[in-house]
Structure formats: C-alpha cells, structure tokens
Amino acid sequence: SFRSAVYCFGDEEEEAHALCRWLRARKYSLVDVIQMVEEAVEMREEPGKHEFFPNPHKALGCSPSLYVGQYPQLYTGHSKEGYPIFISKPGVLNVRALECITSLQGIINFHWNAMSHVLASRNRLQATLPPYPKRFECICVLDLAKLSASQITKRALNIIKIQTEIDSLCFPETLNRMLVINAPGFFSLTWKLIKGWVDQRTASKVEIFGCNPKKYQARLLELVNPQDLPSDYGGVGKSTKDEIDLQLSSYAEKNLKSQKVEYMDVRSKCMFTLNLGEKDLLTIKIHTRS
C-alpha cells in the first residue's frame, strides 16, 4: 500500500523523519514524490507477497553461512550519531562459488531481507539507545582490498544496479555516508558507471580512499568511536573476521560444531583432513551449477 511504502521501516520511524526522507529524495517536489511512491509500491508488490523474505535461508535457497562465507559482509556497531555500520568486502567475493549456491533472484531476495528486516530492526533498536538517532540511516564501508578487474563482470554490475534501484526507490535517503576504501586504480572507471545509476545527492555521500590505511582509518574514527570500530579498521572492537565467524555460527544448523567450504573447478582436486569425535557426524553437501 501507499502508506506501507512510505513507512518502509514500520511505524517506529517518526512521521516527520519518514516523510522528509521521501521529500529530500525528490527535492521537495510533491508531484515527484507521489510518482516515486507509486513506483515504489509497484516494485514492492512481488517481494511483499513473501513479506520481504524474513527468513534469509529461504530468501537465498541455501544457508546464509555459505553465502556470507563467499561474500563477507556484516553489520557491526554504530556511529557516533547512532547509525548502524555495514561493512562489505567485494574484493574477496567468490562469484563462481555464489553461482553454485544461489541465483540472481536469491541474491536480490536476500537484499530485501537485509533492508526490510535486518537494517530495519537495527535502526529500531538504535532509536531506543543513546544518542537516540531520529533518522533511520546507516553508514556503509565498501572494502575493495584484493579486488581485481576480472571481478567487475556484467553479472556483478547487474546485481549492483538492481540493488541500487531497490535502495534508491524503496528506501530513499537511508545512506548517511559511504566510505569506499582500498580502491584500486581502475575503480575510478567503474565508479563513473555506477555513479550514473544513483542521484547526485546520493553520489555526494560517497568518499573514495586508496590503499593508505592511515587516511581511511582517520576518517572512520571521525565517524565511529574506537570501541564500535573493528580492530582491522583502526578501532579496538572485535575484528571483522571474528564478527563474521560469530554471524556464521548464528546462521548455522543446530548442533553444528564446524563448517568447512571448498570451491573446486572442473578437473581440479583438493585434500584436507577432518578429525571427528566418537559421536560426531559428518555431512557432505555438494552445490553445483551443472
């Protein structure tokens, strides 16, 4: 409905702030805002039939632990103003592995889950804690360490484009700030392409840093207190590896002690040893595109 599209994070977001997000997105033109909401209602119709995929496992068609293991990403802590912090590491994304465990539609469904349920719940929680942020926004850190030009494929760009369209149309003005760090030299060309998919106001919130940790860590510490920033990004909080391991364990099946994932190409081989206890049970699952 029109109302549920406007209040995409629920009634907990105060009316003035919810309405202002949409007004800012269309430069306070009421005619343009109404048209935008109508388009958002249409885009939300199909995922809305599935309640925007509250179950991440059903959204992906596989365990989220497999997905996050191949594409590390997590919410961790909050900024000095109270906004949740999201860190994504596309530089170590294993595209071929993702193609084995899920589909393009599964990835998009998982994005609806992340925005409608995960980010929404974190914003609702932060609104009850100091400094009591009124705006439902987040800070994104895009870590491009180890990113190669070969990873910038047509399929990868298509995923980015669809996710950008969803965020811009259905969750306007939720990006407080994005820091792109460890950006390789060729990323400037990629950014010119992506920049054409977002409005100028959103693009102005993106800050791009190269591979000098001192520069981007200093900027992060301007936005985030040290205890809320992972140790591998200049803070004193848990490392992103420890945070992701904790997240993976929460996604894992009940009574699962450990999980090992190996990606194999055709005609390749690998070998590893697992030590099982007397009552341990080993399950082997194979995901393939064939």
Side-chain angles (χ1 to χ4, degrees):
S1 68
F2 201 92
R3 188 180 191 283
S4 61
V6 172
Y7 291 92
C8 53
F9 293 124
D11 293 334
E12 291 85 353
E13 184 180 17
E14 293 183 6
E15 181 179 45
H17 295 286
L19 295 178
C20 278
R21 282 197 296 105
W22 294 85
L23 289 167
R24 290 198 305 272
R26 288 298 180 265
K27 299 179 180 179
Y28 292 87
S29 168
L30 184 58
V31 173
D32 291 344
V33 170
I34 292 175
Q35 180 182 346
M36 182 186 185
V37 177
E38 289 174 344
E39 292 173 358
V41 169
E42 184 178 348
M43 180 176 279
R44 287 165 51 92
E45 182 177 0
E46 186 59 34
K49 295 176 182 177
H50 305 277
E51 299 179 345
F52 304 101
F53 307 96
N55 185 321
H57 194 138
K58 290 183 178 179
L60 284 166
C62 69
S63 170
S65 63
L66 286 176
Y67 182 81
V68 175
Q70 304 307 311
Y71 184 7
Q73 51 188 273
L74 71 156
Y75 280 98
T76 174
H78 55 82
S79 71
K80 293 177 181 178
E81 295 180 311
Y83 304 126
I85 301 166
F86 178 73
I87 299 177
S88 176
K89 300 187 178 187
V92 292
L93 161 65
N94 189 333
V95 176
R96 291 182 176 180
L98 286 190
E99 290 175 340
C100 292
I101 62 176
T102 189
S103 62
L104 171 61
Q105 189 57 56
I107 294 173
I108 301 307
N109 294 346
F110 189 67
H111 187 69
W112 280 107
N113 165 273
M115 295 300 294
S116 300
H117 299 285
V118 182
L119 177 59
S121 63
R122 284 183 173 270
N123 270 314
R124 286 194 288 266
L125 174 63
Q126 286 303 132
T128 66
L129 302 172
Y132 306 106
K134 299 298 183 182
R135 291 186 177 186
F136 277 30
E137 300 178 1
C138 75
I139 291 178
C140 295
V141 178
L142 198 64
D143 187 352
L144 302 184
K146 300 182 180 181
L147 182 71
S148 65
S150 62
Q151 291 174 277
I152 311 298
T153 63
K154 183 178 180 180
R155 185 176 187 273
L157 290 173
N158 187 40
I159 292 172
I160 294 172
K161 185 177 181 180
I162 294 173
Q163 292 179 334
T164 300
E165 289 173 348
I166 291 172
D167 294 349
S168 298
L169 186 60
C170 299
F171 305 94
E173 292 295 310
T174 52
L175 179 66
N176 178 270
R177 182 69 52 189
M178 174 179 281
L179 273 65
V180 180
I181 64 175
N182 293 313
F186 64 81
F187 180 72
S188 58
L189 296 175
T190 306
W191 171 237
K192 286 182 180 179
L193 177 62
I194 298 174
K195 196 174 181 179
W197 300 336
V198 299
D199 60 80
Q200 187 176 359
R201 180 180 172 85
T202 300
S204 68
K205 298 177 182 180
V206 179
E207 303 176 23
I208 301 177
F209 295 85
C211 300
N212 187 338
K214 289 184 178 180
K215 290 186 177 180
Y216 65 71
Q217 288 180 4
R219 177 57 174 145
L220 283 168
L221 287 169
E222 289 177 6
L223 301 170
V224 186
N225 289 318
Q227 64 269 22
D228 290 308
L229 187 65
S231 58
D232 43 333
Y233 289 94
V236 296
K238 289 182 180 178
S239 70
T240 52
K241 181 183 183 304
D242 289 342
E243 288 279 10
I244 289 174
D245 287 344
L246 184 63
Q247 180 177 323
L248 292 180
S249 65
S250 69
Y251 283 141
E253 299 174 14
K254 188 177 180 181
N255 300 323
L256 182 67
K257 291 183 178 180
S258 64
Q259 175 176 281
K260 184 174 180 60
V261 180
E262 289 285 342
Y263 172 76
M264 297 180 63
D265 286 306
V266 176
R267 290 187 293 274
S268 67
K269 63 180 180 180
C270 65
M271 181 181 298
F272 53 89
T273 302
L274 295 174
N275 296 316
L276 300 179
E278 185 177 344
K279 296 183 179 181
D280 288 343
L281 178 66
L282 173 66
T283 301
I284 299 176
K285 294 182 179 180
I286 298 174
H287 297 263
T288 177
R289 289 186 297 171
S290 63

